[in-house]
Amino acid sequence: MFFEGTAIDSVHIPAGTYAVRSRTLPTKNSRSETKKAVQTRQRAWLVEVLEKTQLKPTQLAAGANITSTTLTRMLNNEDYSGTLSPETIERIKGAYKVPGPEEFSRSGRSPLIGFTEAARFDVHREKGELGRIVAAILHGHANMYAWRLKTMALEGVGYLSGDIVFVRMLEEGQSPRPQDAVCAHITDYQHGAAETVWRVFDPPFLVGAANDRTAYKPVLVDGDRVKIAGVIEQSYRPHALSTMR
């Protein structure tokens, strides 16, 4: 249940969600030349950021609140097959005020990273009471981040477009529980693009919980093309949005 108003305790904590599993099984994309191109652009971008900031990879990682191996394995290991997640790129961009790989590459192709379904909530830029409320909720939670939803993909489990959701990022080895509302990174190796989406985890799929057919199609979580980044722990609905519903 959501509570209207602007008090700090006006927080929605989901007790559980439900979604129907589909029989559709998307095929797993193999590593391709396009994926190598994405890696090449990301490596070049990291080198550019390191040169601009005059930092070492471990220092850059610390300032962006990410593990140092996330950067060093890409920079130093030619056999490494992974790519930087949208969340990692966003943290570096936010911490050092630099453009992302999509601006760096200037290839004219589809953006390398997409945040069409939500936007990071910056408590330092958000003025007024809402910014103070979100900052208070985040206080003491080093591994939690706030996002403003721009999708109705989780409407069926109580999250609406405009809600502020608080996401606990998963550490290495951690997994979400079945029926958790999650944010996930989907990489399109064919087009060199990536997107952060908001879905319900119905193992082994991500599924939408809304009437929006674009979010309904299940997506297989394979740990490569599709990775779950974090779990929604709670949310806050701004008063202006509440009065419109």
Side-chain angles (χ1 to χ4, degrees):
M1 176 178 181
F2 285 97
F3 298 90
E4 298 182 8
T6 55
I8 299 300
D9 59 352
S10 298
V11 173
H12 166 61
I13 303 177
T17 59
Y18 176 79
V20 178
R21 181 172 299 173
S22 169
R23 292 171 293 178
T24 304
L25 285 172
T27 59
K28 180 178 180 179
N29 287 359
S30 62
R31 184 180 178 186
S32 64
E33 290 301 318
T34 305
K35 182 175 181 178
K36 293 180 181 179
V38 171
Q39 293 172 330
T40 299
R41 291 204 302 276
Q42 290 186 346
R43 284 194 183 98
W45 174 69
L46 279 178
V47 170
E48 182 79 4
V49 174
L50 289 168
E51 291 178 353
K52 178 178 179 180
T53 59
Q54 295 295 298
L55 295 175
K56 296 180 179 180
T58 53
Q59 295 171 322
L60 189 79
N65 195 26
I66 57 179
T67 59
S68 59
T69 55
T70 300
L71 305 185
T72 56
R73 63 190 176 188
M74 169 165 280
L75 291 168
N76 302 330
N77 185 359
E78 294 184 357
D79 296 326
Y80 177 62
S81 61
T83 57
L84 297 177
S85 71
E87 177 66 22
T88 294
I89 293 173
E90 187 71 4
R91 290 189 189 186
I92 294 174
K93 289 171 61 177
Y96 298 102
K97 310 303 179 187
V98 295
E102 69 278 15
E103 293 97 345
F104 173 78
S105 65
R106 297 182 181 179
S107 62
R109 301 171 66 182
S110 299
L112 183 64
I113 178 173
F115 289 96
T116 59
E117 292 195 357
R120 281 286 295 273
F121 188 98
D122 189 339
V123 295
H124 301 293
R125 294 183 180 181
E126 186 75 27
K127 305 298 182 181
E129 189 172 14
L130 180 59
R132 293 191 293 272
I133 290 172
V134 173
I137 295 173
L138 290 174
H139 182 71
H141 299 280
N143 200 35
M144 184 178 289
Y145 297 88
W147 294 74
R148 191 194 301 269
L149 289 182
K150 298 190 290 183
T151 178
M152 296 297 285
L154 295 176
E155 178 183 16
V157 292
Y159 302 105
L160 304 180
S161 179
D163 285 350
I164 310 300
V165 293
F166 299 86
V167 179
R168 173 178 56 84
M169 306 308 296
L170 296 177
E171 303 288 349
E172 187 172 353
Q174 291 183 329
S175 300
R177 296 169 299 180
Q179 315 311 326
D180 272 346
V182 303
C183 71
H185 303 320
I186 300 179
T187 303
D188 182 350
Y189 295 132
Q190 182 178 358
H191 298 96
E195 180 73 9
T196 296
V197 301
W198 302 80
R199 300 290 188 271
V200 170
F201 180 50
D202 188 20
F205 301 105
L206 298 176
V207 295
N211 294 324
D212 183 357
R213 300 296 297 180
T214 62
Y216 178 77
K217 183 178 179 180
V219 179
L220 178 66
V221 179
D222 59 11
D224 177 28
R225 189 180 71 88
V226 182
K227 299 178 181 179
I228 295 177
V231 176
I232 297 178
E233 292 286 328
Q234 55 194 40
S235 69
Y236 177 82
R237 181 164 299 162
H239 179 71
L241 178 64
S242 300
T243 58
M244 293 173 60
R245 299 291 174 180

mmCIF file of all heavy atoms in Angstrom, residues 82-117:
data_model
loop_
_atom_site.group_PDB
_atom_site.id
_atom_site.type_symbol
_atom_site.label_atom_id
_atom_site.label_comp_id
_atom_site.label_asym_id
_atom_site.label_seq_id
_atom_site.Cartn_x
_atom_site.Cartn_y
_atom_site.Cartn_z
ATOM 1 N N GLY A 82 33.707 -10.360 -21.074
ATOM 2 C CA GLY A 82 32.581 -9.566 -20.597
ATOM 3 C C GLY A 82 32.611 -8.128 -21.089
ATOM 4 O O GLY A 82 33.562 -7.677 -21.738
ATOM 5 N N THR A 83 31.558 -7.413 -20.780
ATOM 6 C CA THR A 83 31.456 -5.988 -21.084
ATOM 7 C C THR A 83 31.030 -5.249 -19.823
ATOM 8 O O THR A 83 30.539 -5.853 -18.871
ATOM 9 C CB THR A 83 30.427 -5.722 -22.199
ATOM 10 O OG1 THR A 83 29.156 -6.262 -21.803
ATOM 11 C CG2 THR A 83 30.863 -6.347 -23.513
ATOM 12 N N LEU A 84 31.234 -3.951 -19.809
ATOM 13 C CA LEU A 84 30.800 -3.145 -18.673
ATOM 14 C C LEU A 84 29.278 -3.055 -18.668
ATOM 15 O O LEU A 84 28.659 -2.844 -19.709
ATOM 16 C CB LEU A 84 31.393 -1.739 -18.755
ATOM 17 C CG LEU A 84 32.918 -1.623 -18.697
ATOM 18 C CD1 LEU A 84 33.328 -0.169 -18.865
ATOM 19 C CD2 LEU A 84 33.462 -2.189 -17.394
ATOM 20 N N SER A 85 28.698 -3.196 -17.500
ATOM 21 C CA SER A 85 27.245 -3.105 -17.395
ATOM 22 C C SER A 85 26.809 -1.644 -17.487
ATOM 23 O O SER A 85 27.595 -0.729 -17.210
ATOM 24 C CB SER A 85 26.772 -3.690 -16.064
ATOM 25 O OG SER A 85 27.140 -2.838 -14.992
ATOM 26 N N PRO A 86 25.563 -1.396 -17.873
ATOM 27 C CA PRO A 86 25.059 -0.018 -17.875
ATOM 28 C C PRO A 86 25.197 0.658 -16.520
ATOM 29 O O PRO A 86 25.476 1.849 -16.440
ATOM 30 C CB PRO A 86 23.590 -0.188 -18.282
ATOM 31 C CG PRO A 86 23.574 -1.430 -19.108
ATOM 32 C CD PRO A 86 24.579 -2.337 -18.456
ATOM 33 N N GLU A 87 25.012 -0.095 -15.432
ATOM 34 C CA GLU A 87 25.130 0.490 -14.095
ATOM 35 C C GLU A 87 26.558 0.951 -13.822
ATOM 36 O O GLU A 87 26.784 2.035 -13.278
ATOM 37 C CB GLU A 87 24.695 -0.531 -13.042
ATOM 38 C CG GLU A 87 24.843 -0.051 -11.611
ATOM 39 C CD GLU A 87 23.923 1.107 -11.279
ATOM 40 O OE1 GLU A 87 22.904 1.279 -11.967
ATOM 41 O OE2 GLU A 87 24.234 1.850 -10.332
ATOM 42 N N THR A 88 27.555 0.137 -14.218
ATOM 43 C CA THR A 88 28.954 0.518 -14.027
ATOM 44 C C THR A 88 29.279 1.779 -14.812
ATOM 45 O O THR A 88 29.922 2.709 -14.307
ATOM 46 C CB THR A 88 29.884 -0.630 -14.469
ATOM 47 O OG1 THR A 88 29.697 -1.744 -13.595
ATOM 48 C CG2 THR A 88 31.342 -0.201 -14.429
ATOM 49 N N ILE A 89 28.836 1.827 -16.058
ATOM 50 C CA ILE A 89 29.085 2.999 -16.895
ATOM 51 C C ILE A 89 28.426 4.236 -16.292
ATOM 52 O O ILE A 89 29.020 5.316 -16.231
ATOM 53 C CB ILE A 89 28.574 2.751 -18.325
ATOM 54 C CG1 ILE A 89 29.414 1.657 -18.999
ATOM 55 C CG2 ILE A 89 28.616 4.034 -19.153
ATOM 56 C CD1 ILE A 89 28.889 1.216 -20.341
ATOM 57 N N GLU A 90 27.207 4.068 -15.808
ATOM 58 C CA GLU A 90 26.489 5.198 -15.226
ATOM 59 C C GLU A 90 27.191 5.714 -13.972
ATOM 60 O O GLU A 90 27.252 6.921 -13.733
ATOM 61 C CB GLU A 90 25.049 4.776 -14.897
ATOM 62 C CG GLU A 90 24.152 5.907 -14.433
ATOM 63 C CD GLU A 90 23.787 6.876 -15.535
ATOM 64 O OE1 GLU A 90 24.162 6.634 -16.698
ATOM 65 O OE2 GLU A 90 23.132 7.888 -15.234
ATOM 66 N N ARG A 91 27.735 4.807 -13.171
ATOM 67 C CA ARG A 91 28.442 5.234 -11.954
ATOM 68 C C ARG A 91 29.696 6.035 -12.302
ATOM 69 O O ARG A 91 29.995 7.049 -11.657
ATOM 70 C CB ARG A 91 28.815 4.013 -11.113
ATOM 71 C CG ARG A 91 27.638 3.314 -10.464
ATOM 72 C CD ARG A 91 28.112 2.267 -9.479
ATOM 73 N NE ARG A 91 27.005 1.443 -9.007
ATOM 74 C CZ ARG A 91 27.120 0.532 -8.049
ATOM 75 N NH1 ARG A 91 28.281 0.331 -7.464
ATOM 76 N NH2 ARG A 91 26.077 -0.188 -7.676
ATOM 77 N N ILE A 92 30.436 5.582 -13.307
ATOM 78 C CA ILE A 92 31.647 6.306 -13.713
ATOM 79 C C ILE A 92 31.282 7.672 -14.279
ATOM 80 O O ILE A 92 31.912 8.688 -13.961
ATOM 81 C CB ILE A 92 32.447 5.478 -14.738
ATOM 82 C CG1 ILE A 92 32.983 4.197 -14.081
ATOM 83 C CG2 ILE A 92 33.600 6.297 -15.311
ATOM 84 C CD1 ILE A 92 33.652 3.243 -15.051
ATOM 85 N N LYS A 93 30.256 7.706 -15.122
ATOM 86 C CA LYS A 93 29.814 8.979 -15.695
ATOM 87 C C LYS A 93 29.396 9.954 -14.600
ATOM 88 O O LYS A 93 29.747 11.135 -14.638
ATOM 89 C CB LYS A 93 28.648 8.739 -16.658
ATOM 90 C CG LYS A 93 29.026 8.058 -17.952
ATOM 91 C CD LYS A 93 27.803 7.665 -18.768
ATOM 92 C CE LYS A 93 26.960 8.848 -19.162
ATOM 93 N NZ LYS A 93 25.813 8.451 -20.021
ATOM 94 N N GLY A 94 28.634 9.453 -13.622
ATOM 95 C CA GLY A 94 28.149 10.322 -12.561
ATOM 96 C C GLY A 94 29.244 10.800 -11.631
ATOM 97 O O GLY A 94 29.251 11.954 -11.198
ATOM 98 N N ALA A 95 30.198 9.908 -11.322
ATOM 99 C CA ALA A 95 31.252 10.257 -10.370
ATOM 100 C C ALA A 95 32.253 11.245 -10.949
ATOM 101 O O ALA A 95 32.759 12.119 -10.235
ATOM 102 C CB ALA A 95 31.971 8.993 -9.906
ATOM 103 N N TYR A 96 32.534 11.133 -12.253
ATOM 104 C CA TYR A 96 33.602 11.948 -12.841
ATOM 105 C C TYR A 96 33.100 12.937 -13.894
ATOM 106 O O TYR A 96 33.905 13.618 -14.536
ATOM 107 C CB TYR A 96 34.672 11.032 -13.438
ATOM 108 C CG TYR A 96 35.314 10.160 -12.384
ATOM 109 C CD1 TYR A 96 34.960 8.822 -12.252
ATOM 110 C CD2 TYR A 96 36.236 10.688 -11.488
ATOM 111 C CE1 TYR A 96 35.527 8.025 -11.262
ATOM 112 C CE2 TYR A 96 36.808 9.899 -10.499
ATOM 113 C CZ TYR A 96 36.446 8.571 -10.392
ATOM 114 O OH TYR A 96 37.004 7.786 -9.408
ATOM 115 N N LYS A 97 31.776 13.010 -14.052
ATOM 116 C CA LYS A 97 31.168 13.988 -14.961
ATOM 117 C C LYS A 97 31.767 13.892 -16.362
ATOM 118 O O LYS A 97 32.187 14.883 -16.965
ATOM 119 C CB LYS A 97 31.339 15.413 -14.411
ATOM 120 C CG LYS A 97 30.923 15.579 -12.958
ATOM 121 C CD LYS A 97 29.479 15.162 -12.719
ATOM 122 C CE LYS A 97 29.099 15.319 -11.252
ATOM 123 N NZ LYS A 97 27.751 14.772 -10.964
ATOM 124 N N VAL A 98 31.818 12.678 -16.880
ATOM 125 C CA VAL A 98 32.361 12.440 -18.214
ATOM 126 C C VAL A 98 31.275 11.843 -19.100
ATOM 127 O O VAL A 98 30.337 11.210 -18.603
ATOM 128 C CB VAL A 98 33.569 11.476 -18.162
ATOM 129 C CG1 VAL A 98 34.723 12.106 -17.398
ATOM 130 C CG2 VAL A 98 33.183 10.140 -17.531
ATOM 131 N N PRO A 99 31.364 12.041 -20.408
ATOM 132 C CA PRO A 99 30.416 11.385 -21.308
ATOM 133 C C PRO A 99 30.669 9.891 -21.345
ATOM 134 O O PRO A 99 31.765 9.422 -21.021
ATOM 135 C CB PRO A 99 30.705 12.043 -22.662
ATOM 136 C CG PRO A 99 32.127 12.485 -22.562
ATOM 137 C CD PRO A 99 32.326 12.888 -21.123
ATOM 138 N N GLY A 100 29.666 9.139 -21.742
ATOM 139 C CA GLY A 100 29.800 7.687 -21.784
ATOM 140 C C GLY A 100 30.383 7.195 -23.091
ATOM 141 O O GLY A 100 30.715 7.984 -23.984
ATOM 142 N N PRO A 101 30.529 5.880 -23.216
ATOM 143 C CA PRO A 101 31.095 5.306 -24.445
ATOM 144 C C PRO A 101 30.303 5.656 -25.687
ATOM 145 O O PRO A 101 30.851 5.727 -26.784
ATOM 146 C CB PRO A 101 31.055 3.795 -24.180
ATOM 147 C CG PRO A 101 30.953 3.654 -22.716
ATOM 148 C CD PRO A 101 30.202 4.848 -22.226
ATOM 149 N N GLU A 102 28.983 5.881 -25.510
ATOM 150 C CA GLU A 102 28.163 6.189 -26.679
ATOM 151 C C GLU A 102 28.547 7.528 -27.286
ATOM 152 O O GLU A 102 28.534 7.703 -28.500
ATOM 153 C CB GLU A 102 26.674 6.155 -26.322
ATOM 154 C CG GLU A 102 26.187 7.276 -25.416
ATOM 155 C CD GLU A 102 26.452 7.014 -23.950
ATOM 156 O OE1 GLU A 102 27.256 6.110 -23.636
ATOM 157 O OE2 GLU A 102 25.863 7.723 -23.120
ATOM 158 N N GLU A 103 28.920 8.511 -26.426
ATOM 159 C CA GLU A 103 29.387 9.793 -26.946
ATOM 160 C C GLU A 103 30.831 9.689 -27.430
ATOM 161 O O GLU A 103 31.217 10.302 -28.414
ATOM 162 C CB GLU A 103 29.299 10.876 -25.868
ATOM 163 C CG GLU A 103 27.889 11.237 -25.457
ATOM 164 C CD GLU A 103 27.445 10.510 -24.208
ATOM 165 O OE1 GLU A 103 28.111 9.526 -23.820
ATOM 166 O OE2 GLU A 103 26.430 10.912 -23.627
ATOM 167 N N PHE A 104 31.609 8.876 -26.717
ATOM 168 C CA PHE A 104 33.022 8.740 -27.065
ATOM 169 C C PHE A 104 33.206 8.111 -28.442
ATOM 170 O O PHE A 104 34.039 8.521 -29.236
ATOM 171 C CB PHE A 104 33.736 7.889 -26.015
ATOM 172 C CG PHE A 104 35.162 7.552 -26.361
ATOM 173 C CD1 PHE A 104 36.168 8.486 -26.198
ATOM 174 C CD2 PHE A 104 35.495 6.303 -26.866
ATOM 175 C CE1 PHE A 104 37.481 8.187 -26.518
ATOM 176 C CE2 PHE A 104 36.806 5.994 -27.189
ATOM 177 C CZ PHE A 104 37.800 6.932 -27.016
ATOM 178 N N SER A 105 32.388 7.079 -28.752
ATOM 179 C CA SER A 105 32.582 6.349 -30.006
ATOM 180 C C SER A 105 32.193 7.179 -31.222
ATOM 181 O O SER A 105 32.801 7.073 -32.278
ATOM 182 C CB SER A 105 31.768 5.056 -29.991
ATOM 183 O OG SER A 105 30.389 5.336 -29.964
ATOM 184 N N ARG A 106 31.130 8.002 -31.071
ATOM 185 C CA ARG A 106 30.655 8.851 -32.169
ATOM 186 C C ARG A 106 30.507 8.062 -33.468
ATOM 187 O O ARG A 106 30.881 8.517 -34.548
ATOM 188 C CB ARG A 106 31.618 10.018 -32.385
ATOM 189 C CG ARG A 106 31.712 10.949 -31.184
ATOM 190 C CD ARG A 106 32.636 12.106 -31.449
ATOM 191 N NE ARG A 106 32.728 12.975 -30.289
ATOM 192 C CZ ARG A 106 33.482 14.067 -30.228
ATOM 193 N NH1 ARG A 106 34.200 14.426 -31.277
ATOM 194 N NH2 ARG A 106 33.516 14.799 -29.142
ATOM 195 N N SER A 107 29.954 6.867 -33.323
ATOM 196 C CA SER A 107 29.868 5.989 -34.489
ATOM 197 C C SER A 107 28.603 6.192 -35.291
ATOM 198 O O SER A 107 28.467 5.670 -36.389
ATOM 199 C CB SER A 107 29.937 4.530 -34.033
ATOM 200 O OG SER A 107 28.837 4.232 -33.200
ATOM 201 N N GLY A 108 27.643 6.922 -34.714
ATOM 202 C CA GLY A 108 26.386 7.107 -35.410
ATOM 203 C C GLY A 108 25.457 5.921 -35.293
ATOM 204 O O GLY A 108 24.386 5.900 -35.885
ATOM 205 N N ARG A 109 25.840 4.912 -34.507
ATOM 206 C CA ARG A 109 25.006 3.735 -34.336
ATOM 207 C C ARG A 109 24.069 3.943 -33.159
ATOM 208 O O ARG A 109 24.046 4.988 -32.530
ATOM 209 C CB ARG A 109 25.895 2.514 -34.103
ATOM 210 C CG ARG A 109 26.855 2.256 -35.237
ATOM 211 C CD ARG A 109 27.851 1.193 -34.889
ATOM 212 N NE ARG A 109 27.206 -0.092 -34.710
ATOM 213 C CZ ARG A 109 27.857 -1.190 -34.369
ATOM 214 N NH1 ARG A 109 29.150 -1.170 -34.184
ATOM 215 N NH2 ARG A 109 27.209 -2.329 -34.223
ATOM 216 N N SER A 110 23.310 2.921 -32.841
ATOM 217 C CA SER A 110 22.413 3.002 -31.699
ATOM 218 C C SER A 110 23.225 3.252 -30.436
ATOM 219 O O SER A 110 24.355 2.789 -30.320
ATOM 220 C CB SER A 110 21.628 1.694 -31.558
ATOM 221 O OG SER A 110 20.855 1.459 -32.710
ATOM 222 N N PRO A 111 22.682 3.979 -29.464
ATOM 223 C CA PRO A 111 23.413 4.238 -28.234
ATOM 224 C C PRO A 111 23.861 2.940 -27.576
ATOM 225 O O PRO A 111 23.153 1.940 -27.607
ATOM 226 C CB PRO A 111 22.380 4.973 -27.365
ATOM 227 C CG PRO A 111 21.426 5.575 -28.333
ATOM 228 C CD PRO A 111 21.350 4.599 -29.469
ATOM 229 N N LEU A 112 25.047 2.986 -26.976
ATOM 230 C CA LEU A 112 25.584 1.801 -26.335
ATOM 231 C C LEU A 112 24.832 1.462 -25.064
ATOM 232 O O LEU A 112 24.778 0.320 -24.638
ATOM 233 C CB LEU A 112 27.066 2.033 -26.016
ATOM 234 C CG LEU A 112 27.844 0.883 -25.393
ATOM 235 C CD1 LEU A 112 27.908 -0.278 -26.368
ATOM 236 C CD2 LEU A 112 29.241 1.327 -25.006
ATOM 237 N N ILE A 113 24.247 2.460 -24.446
ATOM 238 C CA ILE A 113 23.585 2.244 -23.168
ATOM 239 C C ILE A 113 22.264 2.991 -23.154
ATOM 240 O O ILE A 113 22.169 4.090 -23.687
ATOM 241 C CB ILE A 113 24.498 2.716 -22.016
ATOM 242 C CG1 ILE A 113 23.809 2.537 -20.669
ATOM 243 C CG2 ILE A 113 24.913 4.152 -22.183
ATOM 244 C CD1 ILE A 113 24.731 2.838 -19.503
ATOM 245 N N GLY A 114 21.234 2.385 -22.588
ATOM 246 C CA GLY A 114 19.932 3.031 -22.589
ATOM 247 C C GLY A 114 19.266 2.991 -21.226
ATOM 248 O O GLY A 114 19.328 1.989 -20.527
ATOM 249 N N PHE A 115 18.629 4.098 -20.859
ATOM 250 C CA PHE A 115 17.897 4.165 -19.604
ATOM 251 C C PHE A 115 16.501 4.716 -19.877
ATOM 252 O O PHE A 115 16.051 5.652 -19.245
ATOM 253 C CB PHE A 115 18.633 5.051 -18.592
ATOM 254 C CG PHE A 115 19.889 4.446 -18.054
ATOM 255 C CD1 PHE A 115 21.110 4.751 -18.612
ATOM 256 C CD2 PHE A 115 19.847 3.547 -17.000
ATOM 257 C CE1 PHE A 115 22.275 4.190 -18.119
ATOM 258 C CE2 PHE A 115 21.006 2.977 -16.498
ATOM 259 C CZ PHE A 115 22.229 3.301 -17.063
ATOM 260 N N THR A 116 15.810 4.122 -20.853
ATOM 261 C CA THR A 116 14.503 4.635 -21.232
ATOM 262 C C THR A 116 13.426 4.287 -20.216
ATOM 263 O O THR A 116 12.397 4.943 -20.160
ATOM 264 C CB THR A 116 14.090 4.080 -22.604
ATOM 265 O OG1 THR A 116 14.044 2.640 -22.542
ATOM 266 C CG2 THR A 116 15.074 4.501 -23.681
ATOM 267 N N GLU A 117 13.629 3.247 -19.401
ATOM 268 C CA GLU A 117 12.595 2.810 -18.466
ATOM 269 C C GLU A 117 12.727 3.450 -17.086
ATOM 270 O O GLU A 117 11.811 3.354 -16.273
ATOM 271 C CB GLU A 117 12.616 1.287 -18.330
ATOM 272 C CG GLU A 117 12.189 0.572 -19.594
ATOM 273 C CD GLU A 117 11.853 -0.886 -19.358
ATOM 274 O OE1 GLU A 117 12.002 -1.385 -18.225
ATOM 275 O OE2 GLU A 117 11.420 -1.538 -20.312
#
